[in-house]
Amino acid sequence: MSNISSIGFVGFGNMATAIFEGIKQSNIKIPKIYAFRKSEKILPKSVYKLNLDNLLKTADVIILAIKPQQLNEIAAHFKEVDLSKKCIISIMAGTKIKTLTKLNKKLNNIIRVMPNTAASIQESVSIISVKKGTNKEFITFTESIFESIGSIQKVDEEQMNFATAMFGSGPAFIYKIMEDLINICNQNKINKKNSELLIKQLFFGTSKLAQASNKPIQTLIKEICSPNGTTEAGLKKLKELNLDISMAQIIDSAENRAKKLSNE
């Protein structure tokens, strides 16, 4: 990675902070990290604040960590810089590689990534899609960045809207299920504090066991069931309520929003 000597963050909110922390705790050697953001919040000590024009000129890898709606506000700045030997990494939901290509005629290296909020504890799922012709050094470097905050998976760009819905928005859907179960505990006279502790541990323990096991999820489900037992009764009701269909509809709604953001 000797040819990549700097990263520039355009936007430095929660996700950019998580990525920065992952880089800092990894073995990635980056002499300089820059950031541009409108907020007056103090940046970490090893992140140097630049205006947008200087950041685009200086950084080898530019990470777009802003909302998709903000891209138009800054697009003109990209046209004034030679980006032929630089790489754009976008973590903006729904923003297509085709759209990013229009930022600059000489922009050859573009990578889309969809991480999620578990990046803050280095446990994100990050989905990666790469523009054809992107320099392999930039691809490897991007993979190393996002491996520092969790696991990665490369997909074709046509899968990115689904990936955004499932893995980017997915934590919120899981939190909602957790919230509903906490409320059920409350209704059954377990106080709120204990309810939250118990449900968080339920999800943590279940996820950890699933990760540790080589068995298919279906097998793990069967191992909990006893004939005519409580688990079997609950699963039967789940089937009657068509939970699988409801979950698919939830993901479809989020995916459709991602498509709208990408003007599909």
Side-chain angles (χ1 to χ4, degrees):
M1 296 304 161
S2 57
N3 293 327
I4 300 173
S5 61
S6 57
I7 295 175
F9 286 92
V10 179
F12 205 85
N14 292 336
M15 187 55 70
T17 300
I19 294 169
F20 165 71
E21 290 294 336
I23 293 171
K24 191 170 69 172
Q25 294 177 36
S26 72
N27 294 320
I28 302 170
K29 302 298 182 183
I30 301 295
K32 294 287 185 180
I33 296 181
Y34 304 103
F36 162 76
R37 68 175 178 188
K38 294 181 179 180
S39 169
E40 294 300 320
K41 291 181 180 179
I42 298 174
L43 292 166
K45 288 183 179 180
S46 53
V47 178
Y48 300 88
K49 189 172 184 179
L50 291 179
N51 65 39
L52 182 55
D53 291 327
N54 285 334
L55 183 144
L56 295 177
K57 291 174 184 177
T58 305
D60 296 320
V61 172
I62 299 158
I63 300 179
L64 299 180
I66 55 175
K67 295 178 181 178
Q69 299 89 336
Q70 295 175 304
L71 184 61
N72 287 338
E73 299 174 15
I74 62 172
H77 293 266
F78 289 81
K79 298 187 184 302
E80 307 301 321
V81 185
D82 183 0
L83 298 178
S84 59
K85 296 181 180 180
K86 299 176 184 287
C87 180
I88 295 282
I89 300 173
S90 170
I91 61 172
M92 297 184 295
T95 304
K96 298 171 73 173
I97 289 173
K98 182 179 179 181
T99 300
L100 296 168
T101 302
K102 295 176 183 177
L103 290 173
N104 188 293
K105 291 181 180 179
K106 293 185 178 181
L107 180 55
N108 302 312
N109 305 293
I110 301 174
I111 301 173
R112 284 182 65 183
V113 186
M114 178 47 58
N116 64 36
T117 55
S120 63
I121 57 167
Q122 291 80 54
E123 293 291 350
S124 176
V125 174
S126 296
I127 309 300
I128 298 175
S129 180
V130 179
K131 177 183 179 294
K132 187 176 180 180
T134 295
N135 188 297
K136 289 183 180 179
E137 184 179 22
F138 286 127
I139 297 172
T140 302
F141 182 69
T142 300
E143 291 173 351
S144 68
I145 288 175
F146 288 91
E147 282 176 339
S148 77
I149 58 168
S151 60
I152 64 171
Q153 179 66 53
K154 290 173 69 176
V155 301
D156 294 332
E157 192 185 16
E158 63 185 19
Q159 296 173 285
M160 284 299 287
N161 287 330
F162 168 76
T164 298
M166 177 63 79
F167 302 107
S169 301
F173 307 145
I174 294 171
Y175 289 148
K176 177 57 181 169
I177 295 170
M178 292 174 73
E179 182 183 50
D180 290 342
L181 293 177
I182 289 167
N183 289 336
I184 292 169
C185 288
N186 292 164
Q187 292 163 14
N188 284 273
K189 299 182 180 180
I190 299 177
N191 67 51
K192 185 175 181 181
K193 182 179 179 180
N194 288 338
S195 294
E196 289 189 2
L197 289 171
L198 291 167
I199 294 303
K200 286 178 181 178
Q201 181 60 38
L202 175 65
F203 274 72
F204 175 76
T206 303
S207 177
K208 192 170 183 179
L209 178 58
Q211 288 277 26
S213 175
N214 292 322
K215 299 174 183 177
I217 296 296
Q218 188 177 30
T219 299
L220 294 176
I221 293 171
K222 288 180 179 178
E223 287 180 349
I224 303 173
C225 295
S226 299
N228 297 315
T230 58
T231 308
E232 190 175 86
L235 289 171
K236 183 178 179 180
K237 178 56 68 174
L238 273 178
K239 187 175 181 180
E240 290 175 6
L241 294 172
N242 294 318
L243 181 65
D244 54 343
I245 294 174
S246 296
M247 292 303 299
Q249 290 173 345
I250 290 166
I251 300 301
D252 283 346
S253 293
E255 182 180 2
N256 288 335
R257 178 56 183 162
K259 288 179 179 178
K260 287 181 180 179
L261 288 171
S262 61
N263 297 314
E264 288 187 7

